[in-house]
């Protein structure tokens, strides 16, 4: 992996989709021992899936993975930390009865 260039590779994945009263989820599991980190990008290829209520589906699709550069990893971690602090809300109020 270069300092300013992204590594790119293609692989396959298994997608599990459920749209029921108990669950609404879509999980993607990449083939092989692919370890994803901050800033990495994954694109699942293929047509959009529309699943009717009460259904569950498992399918295979090709994916493209772009690994982040060291700078992108650092930037992603820093940005995530700053965005997390935006969620904090501290209020000081002096209510006198």
């Amino acid at each position: 992996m270069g300092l300013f260039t992204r590594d790119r590779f293609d692989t396959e994945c298994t997608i599990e989709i459920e749209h029921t009263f108990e669950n609404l989820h879509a999980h993607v599991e990449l083939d092989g021992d692919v370890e994803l980190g901050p800033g990495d990008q994954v694109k699942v290829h293929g047509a959009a899936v529309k699943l009717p209520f009460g259904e569950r589906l498992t399918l295979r699709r090709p994916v493209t993975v772009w690994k982040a550069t060291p700078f992108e990893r650092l930037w992603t971690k820093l940005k995530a930390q700053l965005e997390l602090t935006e969620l904090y809300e501290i209020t000081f109020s002096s209510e006198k009865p």
Side-chain angles (χ1 to χ4, degrees):
M1 174 179 10
L3 190 57
F4 299 107
T5 60
R6 304 178 107 208
D7 287 342
R8 173 192 173 269
F9 62 91
D10 296 317
T11 187
E12 297 282 322
C13 72
T14 301
I15 305 169
E16 180 184 298
I17 305 168
E18 186 171 346
H19 185 195
T20 63
F21 180 75
E22 294 85 19
N23 288 303
L24 175 61
H25 70 257
H27 296 284
V28 175
E29 187 171 326
L30 301 178
D31 289 356
D33 196 18
V34 177
E35 188 171 323
L36 297 175
D40 292 347
Q41 295 179 346
V42 177
K43 179 179 181 177
V44 178
H45 302 284
V49 176
K50 294 187 180 185
L51 196 63
F53 184 77
E55 298 282 325
R56 182 178 183 182
L57 176 67
T58 301
L59 59 134
R60 303 272 302 155
R61 291 278 173 92
V63 297
T64 302
V65 178
W66 289 271
K67 300 295 279 183
T69 65
F71 176 75
E72 288 173 321
R73 287 199 192 288
L74 179 64
W75 177 249
T76 301
K77 288 179 183 179
L78 179 63
K79 188 176 168 188
Q81 193 66 32
L82 293 173
E83 287 178 0
L84 180 64
T85 58
E86 288 180 11
L87 296 175
Y88 302 147
E89 182 179 328
I90 301 173
T91 305
F92 298 98
S93 59
S94 61
E95 294 183 24
K96 295 182 180 180

